[in-house]
Amino acid sequence: MRWIFLLFLIVPVVVHLFDFRLTKKLFFSTTRFISRSLHKTKSNSRLKYYLILINRFLLFGAIVSILLSVNRQDVDGSSEEVSVLLDNSISNTINQGDQLIEDVISGVLENDQSIQVSYNSGGSIIDKLDDFSVPYEYNSLNQSIFLSKINRLDKGQNLIISDFQLFLNKDIVSELDSSLNYSIWQLNDLNEVNNVYVDSLWIESNSIDPSQVSINLHLNETYYEPESYVVKLSYGSRQLGSIVKSVSDPSLISFDVSINGQDAFEIKIEGDDVAYDDQFYFVIGERNRPKISILSSKNSQGIYEVFNSEFFDLYVVDINKPDYERLVRSDLIVFNGFNDFPQNILSQIPDKTYLIFPSESIDIQSYNQLTNDLSFSNSTSDYLELDVIPSHPLIAGVFENSQFDRLPRFRSIFNAVGAYESIIKYRDGSPFLLRNKSYYIFNTDLEQDSGFDQNALFLPILYQIAFSSTESAERPYFYPGDVLELDIVSPDVPMKLIGDETEIIPTFYLSSSTTIIEIPASIRPGFYSLMLQEDTIQQVAINVPQSESIMQSPGLEELKLLFKDYENVSFFQGIDDREDVLIGKSAAIPLWKYALILIVVLLISETFLHRYFR
């Protein structure tokens, strides 16, 4: 480089000296007029001499600056090329993160070069800030994607923008190319962000009144400093309930509400500095009516009265002419009063839930063929009193405490040995109601006037069995990236997810009997209608996934420690460092333009000096 600066000093001086070499003497008859103007022209010539010398210094300096720019690009042509790895998850926008990202991209673009921006599930080439339209996603840049993308960065300068949410320290560092430069910018220290979010939500139905449900939710807190916050349940614009929750209280909250068909609900968490995911959306679908089929060889009036209601789809089977197609669609098949069990029906309709009331005397051999791991024998007992375990999920809420002192007595039909669960027992320990796989079997008959079907426990227990056998309702909520499976075959026309201001055609797959829809990763939380042409198939509630809600990440000092062996890695964080990022702002690229303009100006100025400066 020294010879360039030496030329910068020598060449314009040499050119200048040769240009202003000594002139020959000319003799005139008189020098009176020359002597008269000599005191004026001598000072002008000296001024012109120095002005042209300065002009030539500047001119040659401009030429040298262009050579330096070209030389730098020739030596290290990649040093001015920039690649950006952007974590475009929504958590990166906390604390003005979106504005910071725009400022960084704008700074990189100041050199008028295109930059390659890659992000979670895509990438783009940006020529100007107006082209910067990277979609923010509601799934963080996970470690596997991060590690795969960081090894693809091959520019001279590489900028990595991420909050490193839920990154395990030991898995962040990969083998970095020592010939490249990396600038890591952590926009937010998530460990200092307050947040409360819904970890899980489930619906419990009332078996007696299906219109009543309990909405249970479990909350999680991260770095939450205030002592309390408020949890509100809303239906549209109407608030159904609110609970003031202390940070030290258990995280389980319940709301009891009435539903009518398919309803859309919203949980809102209000507190100091709660982060972006303070709303949780869910849909309680219309409860499926259990399909009940009754096959009987005895009086089944009691069973018929229980299931002949608006809550069930009832079919009474003619045992001589059974409709097998209807039986296949049933959720619960009830057998009553059979001495010899109809094995042909069981063999043709597997994988169903069966409820069995035996006859007062049974064919032991026939009943032993029900299942391989359960055997029966005739009971020698007469009437026995029940022994109830009220904590069992199937009978929870059915028995009141006052009933335990006056439990009924029923006639035992058989003894059972093998693999089964006693849901209700007799006092002697034998089962009154047992379950083996998909079989519910009562150890009493319905043929007596004072039988079990005349007792107050009959209806709620049968309700519980019926509703537990039906397929569950639609999922109440989804996350971006989840799949939605529908029991329909879509035609060639694609389905749409339509929100308040959004219309998306999601990716979907077809099988012989179902349609699988992928919830887009960049979709905003809220309520959507899944539409097929003009028909609404169902409502869909979409929420911020838990991976975006948990405010945990390695701090900046931890990141520096992880990359301590790499001298080519620099770090920035937050708003204060915004002005210090020089990545991509190489002076070589824009200076040659200004130098070229300066050369033209200097050439014009020297021409004017020679022509008009006397």
Side-chain angles (χ1 to χ4, degrees):
M1 299 297 291
R2 292 181 179 179
W3 66 270
I4 294 179
F5 289 104
L6 190 62
L7 284 177
F8 177 75
L9 295 174
I10 295 176
V11 172
V13 174
V14 172
V15 171
H16 195 74
L17 290 176
F18 275 96
D19 187 53
F20 287 91
R21 63 187 180 275
L22 294 176
T23 59
K24 295 180 180 180
K25 289 184 178 181
L26 295 177
F27 296 94
F28 295 92
S29 59
T30 177
T31 61
R32 181 180 53 180
F33 298 105
I34 296 175
S35 298
R36 189 179 301 172
S37 60
L38 185 62
H39 66 283
K40 296 180 181 178
T41 58
K42 188 174 182 178
S43 60
N44 288 348
S45 296
R46 185 174 297 278
L47 177 61
K48 176 181 177 181
Y49 179 88
Y50 286 117
L51 287 175
I52 292 176
L53 178 61
I54 293 171
N55 193 85
R56 287 175 176 174
F57 265 110
L58 295 175
L59 177 63
F60 196 76
I63 295 173
V64 170
S65 68
I66 292 179
L67 292 175
L68 288 174
S69 298
V70 173
N71 179 72
R72 178 179 296 179
Q73 288 181 325
D74 290 340
V75 173
D76 186 8
S78 64
S79 63
E80 282 76 42
E81 297 182 14
V82 179
S83 179
V84 177
L85 173 55
L86 171 63
D87 179 356
N88 62 320
S89 62
I90 196 66
S91 62
N92 243 353
T93 66
I94 299 176
N95 298 332
Q96 302 180 351
D98 49 352
Q99 182 60 47
L100 286 173
I101 291 172
E102 185 173 312
D103 289 346
V104 174
I105 298 297
S106 176
V108 174
L109 288 170
E110 281 188 6
N111 54 24
D112 294 331
Q113 263 195 328
S114 298
I115 59 174
Q116 176 70 45
V117 177
S118 60
Y119 43 90
N120 196 342
S121 60
S124 60
I125 297 177
I126 300 176
D127 294 302
K128 53 186 178 180
L129 193 60
D130 293 342
D131 298 335
F132 181 63
S133 58
V134 176
Y136 288 102
E137 299 185 2
Y138 287 85
N139 277 311
S140 287
L141 180 67
N142 61 49
Q143 293 177 194
S144 61
I145 297 177
F146 175 85
L147 293 176
S148 66
K149 287 183 177 290
I150 195 174
N151 287 323
R152 297 177 195 168
L153 300 178
D154 57 358
K155 306 299 182 183
Q157 300 279 352
N158 298 285
L159 177 60
I160 302 166
I161 306 175
S162 177
D163 53 19
F164 298 97
Q165 188 174 29
L166 296 181
F167 273 51
L168 299 176
N169 296 351
K170 62 181 181 180
D171 294 333
I172 294 180
V173 178
S174 180
E175 289 296 327
L176 301 181
D177 191 336
S178 59
S179 65
L180 305 178
N181 293 318
Y182 300 90
S183 293
I184 295 178
W185 194 335
Q186 188 179 33
L187 295 186
N188 303 292
D189 186 352
L190 297 183
N191 301 297
E192 297 180 358
V193 176
N194 287 332
N195 198 30
V196 180
Y197 62 95
V198 176
D199 176 70
S200 58
L201 181 146
W202 65 98
I203 313 298
E204 289 185 352
S205 300
N206 188 316
S207 62
I208 305 300
D209 185 356
S211 65
Q212 298 291 321
V213 298
S214 292
I215 299 171
N216 305 295
L217 55 145
H218 187 271
L219 304 176
N220 265 338
E221 305 150 355
T222 58
Y223 190 72
Y224 199 76
E225 291 182 329
E227 294 182 356
S228 63
Y229 49 88
V230 180
V231 181
K232 298 181 178 179
L233 173 66
S234 300
Y235 172 64
S237 59
R238 183 163 58 97
Q239 181 175 310
L240 301 179
S242 65
I243 296 175
V244 178
K245 172 75 171 58
S246 173
V247 174
S248 60
D249 290 344
S251 299
L252 183 62
I253 293 177
S254 295
F255 295 95
D256 294 325
V257 299
S258 299
I259 62 169
N260 181 20
Q262 189 178 66
D263 294 334
F265 295 87
E266 177 183 349
I267 297 290
K268 186 170 181 61
I269 303 172
E270 296 181 353
D272 294 337
D273 300 326
V274 174
Y276 54 88
D277 57 339
D278 56 349
Q279 294 171 290
F280 192 87
Y281 308 94
F282 63 99
V283 174
I284 300 180
E286 185 174 359
R287 192 172 188 178
N288 296 334
R289 293 173 57 188
K291 300 178 179 63
I292 311 296
S293 293
I294 300 176
L295 296 91
S296 179
S297 64
K298 303 287 183 178
N299 178 25
S300 297
Q301 185 62 31
I303 301 175
Y304 179 82
E305 290 177 354
V306 169
F307 294 126
N308 186 29
S309 73
E310 59 181 335
F311 303 137
F312 304 100
D313 183 1
L314 179 62
Y315 168 52
V316 179
V317 182
D318 184 349
I319 192 64
N320 297 314
K321 297 179 181 179
D323 185 345
Y324 284 98
E325 183 178 351
R326 183 69 179 266
L327 287 171
V328 167
R329 296 200 305 267
S330 299
D331 298 305
L332 177 66
I333 299 177
V334 182
F335 292 94
N336 177 47
F338 285 96
N339 179 42
D340 187 1
F341 212 83
Q343 297 292 339
N344 59 321
I345 294 180
L346 291 176
S347 61
Q348 296 186 50
I349 311 175
D351 301 325
K352 288 294 176 183
T353 301
Y354 296 94
L355 173 59
I356 300 172
F357 287 97
S359 174
E360 59 180 345
S361 60
I362 62 173
D363 182 353
I364 295 299
Q365 184 178 359
S366 174
Y367 273 72
N368 283 338
Q369 295 177 5
L370 287 176
T371 175
N372 295 329
D373 52 2
L374 186 62
S375 60
F376 299 90
S377 61
N378 289 314
S379 173
T380 58
S381 302
D382 198 358
Y383 284 85
L384 298 172
E385 186 176 322
L386 297 185
D387 185 14
V388 176
I389 304 174
S391 61
H392 193 283
L394 190 66
I395 59 175
V398 172
F399 293 89
E400 298 179 359
N401 291 333
S402 60
Q403 292 179 306
F404 296 153
D405 298 331
R406 46 184 177 84
L407 290 172
R409 298 165 60 91
F410 299 111
R411 182 170 59 186
S412 174
I413 302 296
F414 56 77
N415 293 319
V417 177
Y420 66 87
E421 175 188 10
S422 286
I423 299 174
I424 304 175
K425 297 180 180 180
Y426 285 115
R427 286 289 186 183
D428 65 353
S430 62
F432 171 75
L433 170 60
L434 65 85
R435 177 171 59 189
N436 173 274
K437 298 177 181 177
S438 60
Y439 293 96
Y440 289 92
I441 305 175
F442 278 97
N443 189 4
T444 190
D445 65 279
L446 304 181
E447 300 172 15
Q448 303 296 317
D449 293 338
S450 59
F452 179 48
D453 57 338
Q454 304 299 314
N455 191 274
L457 301 177
F458 184 66
L459 183 144
I461 291 178
L462 263 62
Y463 263 40
Q464 294 279 54
I465 294 174
F467 281 115
S468 67
S469 67
T470 187
E471 295 181 359
S472 60
E474 304 294 342
R475 280 182 59 180
Y477 58 89
F478 292 87
Y479 294 121
D482 284 350
V483 295
L484 169 61
E485 186 172 349
L486 302 172
D487 292 331
I488 60 173
V489 178
S490 174
D492 296 334
V493 179
M495 297 183 185
K496 297 179 181 180
L497 284 169
I498 300 178
D500 291 337
E501 299 178 355
T502 307
E503 182 175 316
I504 300 174
I505 299 178
T507 303
F508 65 95
Y509 305 95
L510 303 179
S511 67
S512 59
S513 59
T514 60
T515 298
I516 298 175
I517 297 175
E518 291 185 357
I519 306 296
S522 58
I523 194 170
R524 296 184 64 86
F527 295 111
Y528 292 82
S529 296
L530 183 61
M531 306 286 294
L532 179 59
Q533 294 183 329
E534 302 299 324
D535 298 327
T536 300
I537 298 176
Q538 72 176 71
Q539 279 188 293
V540 179
I542 299 175
N543 293 291
V544 175
Q546 292 182 21
S547 60
E548 280 294 285
S549 302
I550 301 174
M551 301 291 107
Q552 293 180 3
S553 65
L556 188 63
E557 294 305 318
E558 293 178 88
L559 289 176
K560 291 180 180 180
L561 186 61
L562 292 170
F563 290 93
K564 61 181 175 56
D565 296 332
Y566 295 94
E567 296 181 356
N568 56 331
V569 178
S570 56
F571 296 88
F572 304 92
Q573 185 183 60
I575 298 176
D576 294 338
D577 285 341
R578 174 168 39 183
E579 302 300 331
D580 299 332
V581 177
L582 302 178
I583 183 169
K585 293 185 180 180
S586 170
I589 297 174
L591 277 181
W592 73 267
K593 295 183 177 181
Y594 298 114
L596 186 61
I597 296 173
L598 182 60
I599 288 173
V600 174
V601 172
L602 292 173
L603 288 173
I604 295 173
S605 67
E606 183 163 340
T607 302
F608 272 84
L609 286 172
H610 280 292
R611 190 177 184 88
Y612 298 107
F613 200 107
R614 301 297 182 184

